[in-house]
Amino acid sequence: MIVVTGATGALNGVTVEHLLHRIPAGQIAVVARDVAKAQRFADLGIQVRHGDYADAAGLPAAFEGADQLLLVSASDPAADAVALHRTAIEAAVKVGVGRVLYTSHQGAAPDTPFGPGRDHHATEQLLAESGLPWTSLRNGFYAHSLHWLAGPWRETGRITVPADGPVSWTAREDAGEAAAVIMTADQAFEGPVTLTAESAPTFAEVAVIASELTGRDVQVEVVDPDQWVAAQVAAGQPEFVARFLRGMFQAADQGFFAGTDPLLGTLLGRAPRTVRSILDAG
């Protein structure tokens, strides 16, 4: 039995869709905080279970019988993600899950300026200490976020950032599909596994691609990080979110998202989506 958390979200929802092409629906269960939102899976013959990382007492039943358990990382930037992940891992240990797979992130490290990267590193440490077989899916930075991180460049012709560095922008759809391939593969993928696109362009290089696609001159402006945060807040962004996002740009500048790995393309059997294709799709 493969048990998947977060299947009502975009990432693990894609994984479940691809699992259905590989194994019978009866061998899949999804865990959701709101089971009503998972009705489409029930309609396909997938077992739907209630589970919440904040509910330590209820999670063991949600994970019961899992040969493999796919844990999605907590997505609320205001939550104590590591504490939530600890609760989920402890529940997995309690019921003897065969393997835990965790949706981590490229650049997971204790010293990254990007907060989720520190949380992912801490969670990987918890997995390593759990005694369970585990796989950490270190996905490249999700490419759909490029649309809002780059700002309204189509209207302004300018991408304004507080720092610039290479990022292996990786389509969430590709990462979700690769997770399904890994869970149904004959081999076991042990520990951290890096899943990225084939290149890692800077925002300056993204601007060149955007210029070629639109036929207009798109420029990058790197501004003072504090001024960038102030501008975001002035535009209506909560300050903690603006500072959270600033950490992403600073981590890119320090090279935390620079690496690429051919494994994703190997698993997919095709080239992963590119920045050009993602921008061109709008």
Side-chain angles (χ1 to χ4, degrees), residues 166 250-259:
Q250 292 173 328
D253 182 49
Q254 294 178 29
F256 283 95
F257 310 133

Side-chain angles (χ1 to χ4, degrees), residues 5-14 40-41 172:
T5 68
T8 57
L11 176 64
N12 284 4
V14 169
R40 67 186 178 97
F41 297 115
R172 189 167 51 185

Side-chain angles (χ1 to χ4, degrees), residues 153-275:
W153 61 269
R154 292 182 185 274
E155 293 74 33
T156 66
R158 185 170 298 276
I159 300 173
T160 303
V161 296
D164 193 8
V167 180
S168 62
W169 300 106
T170 303
R172 189 167 51 185
E173 296 84 355
D174 288 345
E177 181 179 349
V181 175
I182 285 173
M183 287 190 291
T184 54
D186 292 334
Q187 71 180 100
F189 291 79
E190 302 289 349
V193 175
T194 301
L195 301 170
T196 71
E198 295 178 342
S199 63
T202 63
F203 275 93
E205 291 168 332
V206 169
V208 171
I209 296 170
S211 298
E212 293 171 351
L213 288 172
T214 61
R216 65 176 298 184
D217 184 32
V218 179
Q219 295 290 325
V220 165
E221 180 183 13
V222 180
V223 300
D224 177 82
D226 291 335
Q227 292 178 359
W228 184 86
V229 168
Q232 296 294 307
V233 173
Q237 189 81 267
E239 184 172 352
F240 85 94
V241 174
R243 293 186 180 278
F244 168 85
L245 294 175
R246 180 181 65 181
M248 175 271 163
F249 290 102
Q250 292 173 328
D253 182 49
Q254 294 178 29
F256 283 95
F257 310 133
T260 60
D261 193 295
L263 178 60
L264 178 58
T266 300
L267 293 171
L268 298 177
R270 57 173 171 77
R273 292 169 175 84
T274 64
V275 165

